[in-house]
Amino acid sequence: MHAIVHALSITGSMTWAITWALILGFGLSAVIQAVVRKSTIVRLLGDDRPRTLGLATGFGAASSSCSYAAVALARSLFRKGASFTAAMAFEIASTNLVIELGVILALLMGWQFTLAEFVGGPVMIVLLAVLFRLFLREGLLREARAQADRGIAGSMEGHAAMDMSVQRPGSFAGRLFSPEGYTSVSHVFVMEWAAIIRDLVIGLFVAGAIAAWVPDRFWQSFFITGHPLAAKVWGPLIGPVVAIISFVCSIGNVPLAVVLWKGGISFGGVVAFIFADLIIAPILNIYRKYYGPPMALFLLGTFYLTMAAAGYVVELVFGGLGLIPSRAQAKIPDQGVSWNYTTWLNIAFLVLAAALITRFFRTGGLAMLRMMGGSPDSHEHDHMDAQASH
């Protein structure tokens, strides 16, 4: 019982420490998504030129942080005319360059990890574009498009198909601060939470259990901490492998990243581990359904190589600049709730979340929740219809 209580106390402390940051991140993301229409994104991502990939990265960073929704949305963009390379760049940015991830990394691990994520993400996208140019054959791409057009369901299809942006014309501020803008922000906010809540909860419980039950000496041996050079070489190679078998994706893998960092994985290994939310076992199975087995294997190989390479780049650059934080400062939250700035911030942001949730359910939100896992070829106009009726 003591071991179970210890694990649960760590899970609870981590949850309390990041609650306000999650609400802030999802709130800012919802504001951006409320005024950027998906039709605009598709129109601008028709090729794989550097400018297009830059736009794909920017749109992805302003989009969903749920790995399943990002993967489904990337296929939707591909089917509607976006280039495959741009769709994959969008997918990577959607899960690794989003606001909420950066806030949580800074809060739990330090600003250096946030900076590393935002440096390594573009590096990964550039390397992936190069690999696609060199090795992605037209025949494989045609097979992938034919498979994608079959519309086989994966996960979060209904969520990815919905366009929850404000449809009325006008300026950014005019659309955002209109009643439709308030409704749209509330819809995006709640739907994003609904999309990631499962992985977030699993990640917190897994991290709490591992932190409480797995001794540091195991991780120190596994990550070869006694040999600094070997540890730096091993970290970016093993980090994605740990992610693949952990089954935890999106923001849910950040609590586990804290445990791994404290246990001894290299700085670059942590970054590679966080990037690897797009090649966990369930998502690899979705790639198989979306694009066929050959393309799924191609994505596994190219994603793994670029994730590991981005980890090495971050390790070298941050190490050379002296920006890698001391592992001794790493601390897993386990103090529970106390009256400090975190508590006050949680109260303030929970009030904001309550207001958005109330608006969500008063404007047809419940019906949207029921459609989250629906068909990839439906629900595109459901949000507009819901807004019109309210």
Side-chain angles (χ1 to χ4, degrees), residues 41-226:
I41 298 175
V42 173
R43 179 170 52 83
L44 295 173
L45 302 187
D47 55 61
D48 60 354
R49 293 179 299 174
R51 179 179 180 276
T52 304
L53 296 182
L55 289 172
T57 301
F59 285 133
S63 186
S64 173
S65 63
C66 170
S67 302
Y68 294 102
V71 170
L73 182 52
R75 181 182 65 164
S76 176
L77 296 175
F78 178 52
R79 293 179 68 192
K80 292 176 181 178
S83 83
F84 189 72
T85 304
M88 293 302 103
F90 177 93
E91 179 180 301
I92 292 168
S94 291
T95 57
N96 294 297
L97 298 177
V98 290
I99 299 167
E100 50 270 29
L101 176 65
V103 174
I104 297 303
L105 283 171
L107 195 61
L108 286 183
M109 304 183 72
W111 63 268
Q112 297 93 334
F113 289 91
T114 300
L115 182 60
E117 193 74 7
F118 282 87
V119 169
V123 169
M124 182 181 168
I125 290 171
V126 170
L127 293 175
L128 191 72
V130 172
L131 288 178
F132 278 16
R133 279 285 184 97
L134 293 174
F135 301 109
L136 181 54
R137 299 292 178 252
E138 188 61 33
L140 179 59
L141 191 56
R142 281 197 303 269
E143 291 177 13
R145 185 175 294 279
Q147 180 69 16
D149 286 339
R150 293 178 62 192
I152 297 175
S155 181
M156 296 294 168
E157 301 289 355
H159 178 48
M162 296 175 191
D163 187 347
M164 293 177 279
S165 61
V166 180
Q167 301 301 312
R168 61 175 287 175
S171 65
F172 179 97
R175 286 184 291 152
L176 179 61
F177 292 107
S178 65
E180 294 92 338
Y182 183 22
T183 298
S184 198
V185 169
S186 73
H187 285 189
V188 177
F189 178 82
V190 176
M191 293 295 283
E192 290 294 286
W193 268 100
I196 65 99
I197 192 66
R198 178 187 62 184
D199 284 303
L200 181 60
V201 170
I202 292 174
L204 286 164
F205 275 106
V206 168
I210 291 176
W213 302 339
V214 179
D216 286 346
R217 62 180 178 273
F218 169 81
W219 294 119
Q220 290 165 3
S221 174
F222 186 70
F223 295 129
I224 325 177
T225 58

Side-chain angles (χ1 to χ4, degrees), residues 222-234:
F222 186 70
F223 295 129
I224 325 177
T225 58
H227 303 275
L229 179 59
K232 292 177 181 178
V233 173
W234 179 239

